[in-house]
Amino acid sequence: MTVKPDKREEIISAALELFAEQGFHGAPMALIAERAGVGAGTIYRYFENRDVLIRELYQELEETITPFILEGYSEAAPFRARFLHLGTRLLRFFIEYPLRFRYLEQFHNSPYGIAHRRDKMLGDEGRCNVFRELFDQGAAQQVLKDLPLAILFNLAFGPLVAVARDHVLNFITLDEPMIVKTIEACWDAVKR
Amino acid sequence: MTVKPDKREEIISAALELFAEQGFHGAPMALIAERAGVGAGTIYRYFENRDVLIRELYQELEETITPFILEGYSEAAPFRARFLHLGTRLLRFFIEYPLRFRYLEQFHNSPYGIAHRRDKMLGDEGRCNVFRELFDQGAAQQVLKDLPLAILFNLAFGPLVAVARDHVLNFITLDEPMIVKTIEACWDAVKR
DNA sequence: AGTAAAAGAATGAACGTTCATTCCGTTTGA
DNA sequence: TCAAACGGAATGAACGTTCATTCTTTTACT
């Protein structure tokens, strides 16, 4: 017998592909099952229902981001350098894992994402503590513009996500220098 | 007899509300009909099918934007002033017409929007000629960073849309000075 | 003007399809 | 041999669309 073909993993991965490529609409459970090489009923042994599958997939993806962007990160580096590091890493993550990026996008622009966002806001401490910490510190040191945190976030991440989307959809092609220049431009937007 | 209650208009407006508030998912034709005060079959006298309704609604909304942001616009003003004018007007449009904004968002983040975008790209001249012209000119005069047009667009509009979304979803509250500061920050991102 | 006929608009019940979920017979592994 | 895991047909709910029928407006005729 070959290595156990972990069914849960197969399902997650099939769901990621299909949701990312076709949207939530274009990915009925039967198709996910087929792509995962699994009976339709089997999915329900691992996920209570469709919604749970969608949300658990989101959780798993979100958790892969932080370790990725933190690679090579130094708390000791100057503020600007840290900003640029996290920004470029994040953009590279999106580009390197286009399916995950597309999925995260789908999720965020859906009732799931909005509910999720609202919950996160209420539980005052947002996730992505890395960014949160960085921005808090930047505000304290007055290296960032005097704007609400939420707006600073959007100034930094809005373009980043937009650019990643255009790249992933093949509307533009980002190379390494362009990534850096883009993040530097984001820095110009937030720096005082 | 009261004024004729133009059915097409009723349908368009009910569809806008429902799609904006509930997403494409949460707005079955029967509900749109009910909200419009119209029989289910009547919708099909005005729109060939659901897809056509969704696309025609988009067209109508898109066409209301340009006149709005052009109000008070002077071709003669300095470049930076023109950028700030268009940016703040656009952000104000989103805030003033939250349903339209939500709908446009839904549309863009759906297969409709992506197809639409691709078409626009192929027909090389993008819409929003106002912005296109401005940015072309800015690139020529070297007041903008040396980056592809598409990236400059995203640097300017990415945060704008993100901030509008957060406002419309009540995650933040934008007042007039904050709008201006936000657009000025976008300017810092694109200016050379 | 008044009325009958024709045209056009509107309706909503019914249809066919799609899809998430369930159910039950079969397989697998201990 | 038994229980857990699995598969996929069956089920029922939801939905877009159709169409026979009803209601409203316009036209034609005396």
Side-chain angles (χ1 to χ4, degrees):
Chain A
M1 180 182 54
T2 63
V3 285
K4 70 168 177 181
D6 182 346
K7 306 237 173 200
R8 200 192 118 96
E9 214 44 56
E10 295 296 327
I11 293 165
I12 282 272
S13 139
L16 172 59
E17 277 180 42
L18 284 168
F19 287 141
E21 283 163 6
Q22 323 276 346
F24 291 127
H25 270 107
M29 297 300 267
L31 203 64
I32 296 173
E34 189 187 346
R35 176 85 64 112
V38 140
T42 304
I43 295 179
Y44 292 86
R45 296 202 52 76
Y46 294 93
F47 304 95
E48 192 186 331
N49 57 42
R50 182 174 229 261
D51 281 15
V52 168
L53 168 60
I54 287 172
R55 279 196 296 268
E56 285 194 19
L57 178 47
Y58 176 79
Q59 299 273 41
E60 297 211 359
L61 294 189
E62 210 195 23
E63 281 162 16
T64 64
I65 294 185
T66 307
F68 184 94
I69 63 177
L70 242 34
E71 208 172 288
Y73 184 70
S74 158
E75 290 276 0
F79 188 85
R80 179 171 182 275
R82 275 180 291 155
F83 178 92
L84 295 180
H85 175 96
L86 292 181
T88 51
R89 282 301 281 177
L90 185 56
L91 186 44
R92 272 195 219 104
F93 178 88
F94 291 155
I95 287 174
E96 196 158 325
Y97 302 105
L99 289 181
R100 302 188 197 185
F101 173 70
R102 295 282 295 133
Y103 183 84
L104 292 172
E105 279 266 277
Q106 302 269 357
F107 186 88
H108 277 127
N109 295 293
S110 75
Y112 302 108
I114 293 176
H116 182 264
R117 190 102 187 279
R118 211 176 288 277
D119 294 347
K120 237 163 78 170
M121 290 269 163
L122 295 184
D124 68 328
E125 277 309 319
R127 208 69 37 73
C128 279
N129 308 84
V130 211
F131 285 106
R132 175 66 193 257
E133 268 176 41
L134 186 72
F135 276 66
D136 273 340
Q137 193 183 326
Q141 295 178 208
Q142 308 206 329
V143 295
L144 294 179
K145 288 197 169 78
D146 181 28
L147 283 167
L149 204 68
I151 293 190
L152 291 175
F153 260 75
N154 286 330
L155 284 169
F157 299 144
L160 203 148
V161 169
V163 159
R165 182 173 53 228
D166 278 3
H167 175 92
V168 165
L169 294 177
N170 265 315
F171 293 149
I172 59 177
T173 303
L174 287 175
D175 52 16
E176 189 55 33
M178 214 127 83
I179 291 179
V180 173
K181 282 172 94 171
T182 300
I183 304 300
E184 284 172 347
C186 292
W187 168 251
D188 290 340
V190 297
K191 80 146 191 280
R192 188 174 288 245
Chain B
M1 181 185 49
T2 63
V3 286
K4 70 168 176 181
D6 182 343
K7 307 240 173 199
R8 201 192 116 96
E9 215 43 55
E10 295 295 327
I11 293 164
I12 282 272
S13 136
L16 172 58
E17 277 180 43
L18 285 169
F19 286 142
E21 285 164 5
Q22 321 276 349
F24 290 127
H25 271 107
M29 298 300 266
L31 203 66
I32 295 173
E34 188 188 346
R35 175 88 61 115
V38 139
T42 306
I43 295 178
Y44 293 85
R45 297 197 53 77
Y46 295 93
F47 304 94
E48 194 186 329
N49 57 44
R50 182 175 230 260
D51 280 16
V52 169
L53 168 60
I54 287 172
R55 278 195 297 267
E56 283 194 22
L57 177 48
Y58 176 79
Q59 299 272 40
E60 297 208 2
L61 293 189
E62 210 194 22
E63 281 163 17
T64 64
I65 294 185
T66 307
F68 183 95
I69 63 177
L70 244 32
E71 210 172 288
Y73 184 68
S74 160
E75 290 275 0
F79 189 86
R80 177 170 181 278
R82 276 180 291 155
F83 178 93
L84 294 180
H85 175 97
L86 292 181
T88 51
R89 282 302 280 177
L90 186 55
L91 186 45
R92 272 195 221 104
F93 178 90
F94 291 154
I95 286 174
E96 197 158 324
Y97 301 105
L99 289 180
R100 301 189 198 186
F101 172 70
R102 295 281 295 134
Y103 183 83
L104 292 172
E105 279 266 278
Q106 302 267 358
F107 186 89
H108 278 127
N109 294 294
S110 75
Y112 301 109
I114 293 176
H116 182 263
R117 189 103 188 278
R118 213 178 286 277
D119 293 349
K120 236 164 75 172
M121 291 267 164
L122 294 182
D124 67 331
E125 276 311 317
R127 207 71 37 68
C128 280
N129 308 86
V130 212
F131 285 106
R132 175 66 193 257
E133 268 175 41
L134 187 72
F135 276 65
D136 273 339
Q137 194 182 324
Q141 292 177 206
Q142 307 205 329
V143 296
L144 294 181
K145 288 198 169 78
D146 181 28
L147 284 166
L149 204 66
I151 292 189
L152 290 175
F153 262 75
N154 287 330
L155 284 169
F157 298 145
L160 203 148
V161 169
V163 160
R165 182 174 51 229
D166 278 2
H167 175 92
V168 165
L169 294 178
N170 268 315
F171 294 149
I172 58 177
T173 304
L174 286 175
D175 54 14
E176 190 54 34
M178 214 127 84
I179 292 179
V180 173
K181 282 173 96 172
T182 300
I183 305 300
E184 283 173 347
C186 292
W187 167 252
D188 289 341
V190 296
K191 80 145 192 278
R192 188 176 288 248

